[in-house]
Amino acid sequence: MTQTQEPKERTRIERYDPAAIEPRWQARWEELGLHKTDLQNARDRYYLLTMYPYPSGDIHIGHWYIKTPTDAIARFQRMHGKNVFLPIGFDAFGLPAENAAIRQKINPREWTMSNVANMRRQLRQMGATFDWDAEVVTCDPEYYRWNQWFFLKFLEAGLAYRQKSAVDWCPNDGTLAREQVEGAERRCWRCGAKVEKRELDQWYLRVTKYADELLDFSEIQFPDPVRIMQTNWIGRSEGGEIVFEAAPSADGSRPGGEEIRVFTTRPDTLFGATFMVLAPEHPLVAELTAPERRAEVAAYVREAQDATEIERLSTEREKTGVAIGADAINPVNGERIPIFVADYVLAGYGTGAIMAVPAHDERDFEFAQRFGLPVRQVVAPAGAPVSRDAAMSQAYVAHSDDEVLINSGEFTGLPADEGGRAIVGWLEAQGKGKPAVTYRLRDWLISRQRYWGTPIPVIHCPTHGIVPVPEKDLPVLLPDTVDYAGVGVNPLTRDEQFLNVPCPIDGEPARRETDTMDTFIDSSWYWYRYLSPRKQDGPIDPELVEAWTPVEQYTGGAEHAVMHLLYAREFTKMLRDLGLVQQNEPWKRVFNQGQILGADGERMSKSRGNVQDPDELVRQYGADTVRLFLMFMGPWDQGGPWSPTGIGGVHRFLNRVWALTLDPHAREPGDPDAGTLPEGQDETAARAALRAATHRTLRDVTADYEAFHFNTMVAKLMELSNTLFRYRGTSVAGGPEWDEAVRLLLLMLAPAAPHITEELWARRLAARGEAWSSIHRESWPEVDEAAARESTREVPVQVNGKVRDRVTVPADADAAAIEAAVLASPRIQQLLAGRTPDRIIHAGGGKLVNLVVRG
RNA sequence: GCCGGAGUGGCGGAAUGGCAGACGCGGCCGACUUAAACUCGGCUGCCCGCGAGGGCGUGCGGGUUCGAAUCCCGCCUUCGGCACCA
């Protein structure tokens, strides 16, 4: 096809100016109520939840990374006829507000609420369809009063209780969070004082009650890593609880007989127990320690308090411990074994005491080596049931089906598993043991010695002890004026107005609880509150909760894989047991995004100074480009260091979509082929090719949206726009296939880049004299499979696994036809040089052919 | 340390048992322009070769397979979490 016309100068079309169109459409959408959800109509409901932000002050690019693809999902689902509910709120209690208050002498509420106001404004710039009518701010008494109400219900149901627990304590600043304890020296971040451990009475929620149920993921779709991490976090182990007794002391001063319970996953190794270890915090340590050992043991126990749990559990760190100068009696054989105290045993796990079997446990082995303790093998492979006591250079921990007990008295010779059960059975008959299950999961410590949180609604009465605040007196308000007095200690503890309160029972003077709740309480039910944020007579609206939850899809950062995502499941089960909700799980599906790090590869935070502000990028390129770039950067679940490199390419793409839609006939002076169809295509072929490209793109893009593969979704739309650019200015441009392609391109792009597509859609309609309606109210288009099909395809041909040629065959060619085409290829004939392939492999239904030639 | 993820051109990444490097950035060349920018077109993993073509190549070392970025075993590096940051 020859080009007869001179290429004319590019038509002057109006420039793509996001700053001019974006605010206009955002205002229009608000008028239209595009973001509003009719909650009374739960037909085709789609509750889309995104983790509410902490109001740190500014929205940064990381918030956009989480929120804008979520908005694209919302818009995509609306185009599928769903009634989408996409609420937003603020996780407004927590440490940073207090830090700001202490440092800058600002009221935490003022600091928080001014940040909220700023972030509301910034969130609106995304062009996201958040339903602001549903907004929840957790530091609002109308929200946190219900935390208190739930707490009272938990208390009544026996799900909340009080117990002593150690905190990191600074003599000047009180309880410290982990991040406030600095360095190996463990010093206070504010005053530099040495941090101690202090035992405080604190509030717990009895969530271990749900441990087994939490291991059942059948009603919640988690990404595999999250499911695995939660499973490991809960850490169910089966085994036995075995009762050892303290032996009479050597000097005869103590008769012995104190019970020392141990938990073991390996009761089969009981005959190999050569010593016993108590956690430094174990209550029997003080009781059993021999007088001459007391000084050393006390010193060790003090030292152990300085180590973090992570350090204590490290398998790399050299084992430490001291003998307490007392023995225990192994119930299975009456042997006396020495008792040690060592920090690799934790008070909070199992019974806080272990029987040590160095032959079959790595940590015990290491400890035995260090202290010259005997190692006795009691389990061996069935084929070689001989003791290797002297020869063992490491613990034999392998636990297969094919092992037998040795050196185990009457149990010798039994298969290990069976032997373990037999030993527990025998002990049970003696009243010295029983089968047991232990979990790594601990009850939820909700007490915080802080001001900026939900006050725990109880009163301490000298006569009646702990008295719940009567429901009618809720909320227990945080005092508005707060004096930090320049220290980190919870100011509630010196606020006499807050503290002094009459006992609800007898009216006598009593004192309020000053601990506040963990902010993970706030985030454990906020999606229920979104459904009725201003409800006065209860925390949630049971009918709406029933109609709209479990949440269809929850999106948020992968850093919450265990804690928040587990606490909220626990909370839901507690609410269910109180009869408040009818569901086992809060959400049906969860997707975890990766995290956007600062340009330095570190977590974005104000203190590091690596926060990327999106405002500047929005000014330069517009919200659509920023949204699309964040989706295009890489897989959504991956995240990575922030870099704006490449954002220009995305902006160029939008400019090309603009030009294609408004000016299909333009010919680029820089393109030597401008206005001509691709070689080998007549007009009919070109029209079919364009249509095939359009519908293949639609098919793939639809699948990508559904799988949240936004990066490849954008890539495929870029490809389609490149194809359209190739046909721009040709005889095909502006024709029905072209028109369909542009229409579908805009529809496919609409969820991701809502403003530019709305603008172009409006102009298209106007150009055709049709009445305006929003592109975001259009239906998602249907794929025409017949059009997407191609008539021929290329089959790569390998010889011994290396691609050497490609043959083109009809799309419906069968294996025999492909084989014939392959063997007819001159290049393949030349490579075969007369040899016959030993095997011909047709892979993936004719996707590829591999000729295997030996010799 | 323990649990989980990731490692592919100069860069972000695509391909999850079948053509490695889609798409984009950057770079080079060209068109347009008085010029530059913008815009448009072409090329662009590395090495050898004028070319046709050949060799190498997905963190490292092994293995399974006709065929491995993808599965298995053993490492290394890095990121997230480890219960009071949210």
Side-chain angles (χ1 to χ4, degrees), chain A residues 314-460:
Chain A
S314 169
T315 50
E316 191 115 297
R317 183 161 164 264
E318 199 169 10
K319 294 280 168 294
T320 59
V322 294
I324 67 168
D327 292 340
I329 294 171
N330 187 338
V332 84
N333 57 10
E335 247 176 41
R336 281 180 80 117
I337 56 175
I339 304 174
F340 286 79
V341 50
D343 68 3
Y344 77 96
V345 174
L346 298 181
Y349 180 78
T351 59
I354 61 158
M355 64 178 210
V357 185
H360 304 291
D361 181 276
E362 277 169 27
R363 287 160 311 169
D364 297 348
F365 184 84
E366 209 187 307
F367 192 89
Q369 293 281 296
R370 183 103 199 282
F371 292 88
L373 297 160
V375 177
R376 184 192 304 145
Q377 189 175 0
V378 292
V379 176
V386 280
S387 167
R388 297 178 302 180
D389 291 7
M392 288 185 92
S393 60
Q394 58 176 55
Y396 174 70
V397 289
H399 198 54
S400 71
D401 296 341
D402 205 21
E403 291 166 329
V404 293
L405 299 188
I406 59 172
N407 294 333
S408 294
E410 60 184 281
F411 302 98
T412 296
L414 287 176
D417 284 351
E418 192 188 328
R421 282 192 296 273
I423 289 173
V424 173
W426 183 86
L427 288 166
E428 201 167 11
Q430 315 289 308
K432 289 179 177 172
K434 59 179 184 198
V437 176
T438 310
Y439 301 89
R440 208 184 71 97
L441 183 72
R442 306 200 288 251
D443 275 340
W444 182 0
L445 171 67
I446 60 162
S447 280
R448 298 291 181 269
Q449 291 77 49
R450 300 254 162 76
Y451 163 80
W452 192 231
T454 303
I456 293 177
V458 298
I459 292 165
H460 298 272

Side-chain angles (χ1 to χ4, degrees), chain A residues 158-479:
Chain A
L159 287 167
Y161 66 96
R162 205 160 141 85
Q163 195 180 62
K164 277 229 179 331
S165 171
V167 297
D168 286 324
W169 184 265
C170 165
N172 306 311
D173 290 302
T175 304
L176 299 181
R178 206 178 81 179
E179 63 165 21
Q180 296 177 313
V181 178
E182 292 184 335
E185 293 272 280
R186 298 183 50 72
R187 293 191 175 276
C188 173
W189 70 320
R190 283 171 47 71
C191 67
K194 186 89 179 78
V195 173
E196 311 157 1
K197 283 276 196 296
R198 178 174 283 204
E199 293 274 329
L200 300 176
D201 278 312
Q202 306 200 67
W203 288 100
Y204 280 86
L205 295 184
R206 207 178 295 282
V207 296
T208 48
K209 182 182 171 188
Y210 302 102
D212 274 318
E213 202 193 332
L214 290 164
L215 288 168
D216 175 5
F217 297 93
S218 58
E219 291 179 45
I220 191 162
Q221 246 183 72
F222 272 140
D224 284 347
V226 177
R227 205 192 59 243
I228 294 165
M229 278 190 273
Q230 292 206 354
T231 301
N232 292 337
W233 181 272
I234 295 162
R236 183 181 203 274
S237 345
E238 285 183 35
E241 189 173 294
I242 297 170
V243 184
F244 284 62
E245 277 182 17
S249 61
D251 59 6
S253 64
R254 236 180 2 85
E258 293 90 343
E259 286 194 348
I260 310 168
R261 292 174 180 273
V262 305
F263 172 78
T264 177
T265 57
R266 294 290 306 274
D268 55 318
T269 64
L270 184 50
F271 282 84
T274 53
F275 58 103
M276 169 173 268
V277 184
L278 304 181
E281 302 84 357
H282 196 284
L284 282 174
V285 170
E287 206 173 316
L288 297 179
T289 300
E292 71 276 12
R293 306 288 305 148
R294 277 194 190 134
E296 200 184 334
V297 168
Y300 182 79
V301 168
R302 259 197 317 278
E303 220 172 280
Q305 291 185 341
D306 273 357
T308 66
E309 216 165 277
I310 292 173
E311 286 163 355
R312 286 174 61 168
L313 286 172
S314 169
T315 50
E316 191 115 297
R317 183 161 164 264
E318 199 169 10
K319 294 280 168 294
T320 59
V322 294
I324 67 168
D327 292 340
I329 294 171
N330 187 338
V332 84
N333 57 10
E335 247 176 41
R336 281 180 80 117
I337 56 175
I339 304 174
F340 286 79
V341 50
D343 68 3
Y344 77 96
V345 174
L346 298 181
Y349 180 78
T351 59
I354 61 158
M355 64 178 210
V357 185
H360 304 291
D361 181 276
E362 277 169 27
R363 287 160 311 169
D364 297 348
F365 184 84
E366 209 187 307
F367 192 89
Q369 293 281 296
R370 183 103 199 282
F371 292 88
L373 297 160
V375 177
R376 184 192 304 145
Q377 189 175 0
V378 292
V379 176
V386 280
S387 167
R388 297 178 302 180
D389 291 7
M392 288 185 92
S393 60
Q394 58 176 55
Y396 174 70
V397 289
H399 198 54
S400 71
D401 296 341
D402 205 21
E403 291 166 329
V404 293
L405 299 188
I406 59 172
N407 294 333
S408 294
E410 60 184 281
F411 302 98
T412 296
L414 287 176
D417 284 351
E418 192 188 328
R421 282 192 296 273
I423 289 173
V424 173
W426 183 86
L427 288 166
E428 201 167 11
Q430 315 289 308
K432 289 179 177 172
K434 59 179 184 198
V437 176
T438 310
Y439 301 89
R440 208 184 71 97
L441 183 72
R442 306 200 288 251
D443 275 340
W444 182 0
L445 171 67
I446 60 162
S447 280
R448 298 291 181 269
Q449 291 77 49
R450 300 254 162 76
Y451 163 80
W452 192 231
T454 303
I456 293 177
V458 298
I459 292 165
H460 298 272
C461 167
T463 315
H464 300 95
I466 286 165
V467 181
V469 171
E471 212 178 298
K472 67 174 171 49
D473 294 344
L474 297 186
V476 176
L477 289 171
L478 279 175

Side-chain angles (χ1 to χ4, degrees), chain A residues 50 65-67 70 554-559 591-595 636-639:
Chain A
T50 180
Y65 186 74
I66 294 169
K67 306 287 178 255
T70 303
Y554 192 21
T555 61
E559 68 276 21
F591 184 89
N592 283 138
Q593 299 98 51
Q595 223 176 343
W636 198 26
D637 57 4
Q638 205 170 285

Side-chain angles (χ1 to χ4, degrees), chain A residues 471-505:
Chain A
E471 212 178 298
K472 67 174 171 49
D473 294 344
L474 297 186
V476 176
L477 289 171
L478 279 175
D480 279 339
T481 53
V482 48
D483 178 14
Y484 280 91
V487 294
V489 176
N490 178 2
L492 292 178
T493 60
R494 10 170 227 275
D495 185 329
E496 293 299 326
Q497 278 216 313
F498 176 82
L499 283 169
N500 296 318
V501 61
C503 167
I505 297 173

